[in-house]
Amino acid sequence: MASAGFQDWRLVMTITKWVKLAFELLICVIHPLPFPAFSLPTMIVRDGPGGKQELHATLLPINCVLTILMFLRVYLLGRFVVVHSKLFLDTSVQSLGALSRVKINAQFVFRALMSTSPMVVLGSWMLGTFFINSWNLRVCELYTDPESDFITYGQSMWLTAVTFLTVGYGDLVPRSYCARVIASLTGMMGVGSMALTVAVLAKKLEQSRAERYVHTFVQQVNLDKKRRHAAADVVKHTFQIIRLRRAGKACNSKEMIRHRSRLIQSLRTMHEAQFLKTAQSEFTVGTVEVNTGVNAMQESVNTIQSEQKNLGQRVANLETLLLTMSRQCPRCVTYSNSVTPSLRDTQHPVIS
């Protein structure tokens, strides 16, 4: 605010900033009450007679909800990372972002972190989600049903891991609606985390441009060798067939059939090698080659346009020169459009 020249802080505040400030203050205010407070009505699933599950009404203390909502303060860790990031503190990055109309904010910093160290970001997110949701599951079950199987933190961690990985063995099931909501959120977070992990691993396992070129070059060399060997076999078996024919061998003899089958196999191998080489050449075209082709095409278009302009200028100069010549020598450019009467009256002979 001071660097922008504003002397009063109220000049830079907007409705969006006021809402964000109020939301952050509300998150920081959330805390369990130090005295017994009211409870919220909820439902819990219990085993009835005959092994059937029945719904029973119960009360959920408000301190349980406030304890879970206190984990919203975890966003302060993200803000700490953003504020202490070099991308956010570097004035050159800020200037470059302003010139490029790119906002250097939390989204930019986290995208940069996902680009430079994605496994660290994903690992931190997955571990934090795992431990926080395990604690929330235990709190919900402990407050609503003391007889539940989730009294221990280890069992809550097991259910969170099974739900996060979308396995769902079914050996442990949350009883309260509060725990079921948290389990559903854990499953959705797990699906998103697994998708991001697969995308990051696929990007890491992908070959670079130089590696792809080296691999393609080696494959093309091997295919060329294979095609040359197959062509040599074609020539060899063709000469063998010609020799056998001159020797008077029958077409159904063993040697003739053997050389013919090898000739057909060599031809097939030669065509397959040529086809694979052509396919590799087509699939190895990347963005760099496309950009090079586009630039070459653009240069050709610019050259044609410049030549067209030069040609138009030359035509204009010729027209000016002809106009000058017609003014200086009118007889040189005068043409007679009249036809003599003798030619008009001349009749062509009729060919019978």
Side-chain angles (χ1 to χ4, degrees):
M1 184 182 69
S3 60
F6 294 103
Q7 297 180 357
D8 194 349
W9 60 272
R10 290 173 293 183
L11 297 176
V12 297
M13 295 299 293
T14 60
I15 297 178
T16 305
K17 292 182 179 180
W18 280 112
V19 171
K20 290 182 179 179
L21 180 61
F23 186 70
E24 291 185 4
L25 290 175
L26 180 62
I27 291 176
C28 294
V29 165
I30 295 175
H31 192 275
L33 300 176
F35 52 86
F38 62 93
S39 300
L40 300 175
T42 184
M43 303 297 293
I44 190 172
V45 179
R46 290 179 179 175
D47 295 332
K52 295 182 179 180
Q53 293 184 350
E54 297 178 353
L55 288 175
H56 295 273
T58 185
L59 295 176
L60 180 65
I62 190 63
N63 284 338
C64 175
V65 179
L66 295 176
T67 302
I68 295 173
L69 293 179
M70 279 184 63
F71 283 104
L72 294 175
R73 301 180 186 179
V74 177
Y75 86 95
L76 294 174
L77 295 176
R79 172 163 293 184
F80 176 82
V81 172
V82 172
V83 171
H84 290 79
S85 175
K86 294 181 179 179
L87 295 174
F88 191 79
L89 297 176
D90 195 353
T91 55
S92 60
V93 177
Q94 295 285 346
S95 302
L96 184 61
L99 293 174
S100 304
R101 296 182 180 180
V102 176
K103 294 182 179 180
I104 310 299
N105 49 14
Q107 294 181 359
F108 179 83
V109 173
F110 278 110
R111 287 177 182 175
L113 289 175
M114 282 294 295
S115 178
T116 55
S117 54
M119 299 307 297
V120 176
V121 177
L122 284 177
S124 303
W125 160 258
M126 293 171 69
L127 286 176
T129 304
F130 174 72
F131 288 110
I132 290 174
N133 289 347
S134 299
W135 176 263
N136 291 335
L137 274 174
R138 181 177 179 275
V139 168
C140 284
E141 291 292 323
L142 184 63
Y143 273 96
T144 54
D145 188 11
E147 299 178 358
S148 176
D149 297 333
F150 298 98
I151 298 300
T152 62
Y153 188 65
Q155 291 174 335
S156 298
M157 292 175 65
W158 168 249
L159 178 62
T160 303
V162 170
T163 308
F164 190 85
L165 298 175
T166 65
V167 178
Y169 290 114
D171 53 347
L172 293 177
V173 180
R175 300 289 184 177
S176 63
Y177 278 12
C178 174
R180 291 187 176 186
V181 170
I182 294 175
S184 301
L185 294 176
T186 303
M188 289 187 287
M189 292 177 183
V191 171
S193 300
M194 291 299 107
L196 289 175
T197 304
V198 170
V200 169
L201 290 177
K203 186 177 180 181
K204 291 293 184 181
L205 294 176
E206 185 180 1
Q207 289 181 334
S208 63
R209 181 170 172 266
E211 292 174 347
R212 187 169 61 251
Y213 276 166
V214 171
H215 183 252
T216 304
F217 178 77
V218 172
Q219 285 187 338
Q220 288 183 353
V221 169
N222 293 331
L223 289 174
D224 285 336
K225 290 181 180 179
K226 185 177 180 181
R227 187 170 60 87
R228 287 197 298 268
H229 290 316
D233 291 338
V234 168
V235 175
K236 181 179 69 174
H237 293 299
T238 302
F239 277 111
Q240 291 293 335
I241 291 172
I242 294 173
R243 184 182 62 81
L244 291 174
R245 283 185 177 179
R246 289 181 178 179
K249 294 288 185 179
C251 294
N252 56 356
S253 61
K254 292 183 179 180
E255 293 183 0
M256 186 70 74
I257 293 174
R258 179 167 56 86
H259 286 295
R260 282 185 174 181
S261 62
R262 291 183 179 179
L263 175 62
I264 294 172
Q265 185 178 1
S266 300
L267 287 172
R268 186 183 296 111
T269 303
M270 186 174 62
H271 289 301
E272 288 179 355
Q274 183 64 31
F275 176 76
L276 291 176
K277 183 180 178 181
T278 306
Q280 284 186 355
S281 301
E282 292 177 355
F283 284 110
T284 52
V285 178
T287 56
V288 178
E289 289 78 9
V290 173
N291 292 331
T292 304
V294 171
N295 293 332
M297 187 179 297
Q298 187 66 31
E299 291 179 359
S300 301
V301 171
N302 294 333
T303 304
I304 293 173
Q305 289 179 353
S306 61
E307 291 180 356
Q308 186 178 4
K309 290 180 180 179
N310 294 333
L311 182 60
Q313 187 65 31
R314 290 179 181 179
V315 171
N317 294 335
L318 287 175
E319 291 179 353
T320 305
L321 182 60
L322 289 175
L323 183 60
T324 305
M325 291 176 61
S326 64
R327 290 177 180 177
Q328 293 178 357
C329 184
R331 295 180 180 180
C332 298
V333 292
T334 303
Y335 296 94
S336 176
N337 295 325
S338 62
V339 182
T340 58
S342 59
L343 292 176
R344 291 179 183 176
D345 298 335
T346 303
Q347 296 181 357
H348 297 282
V350 179
I351 301 175
S352 58

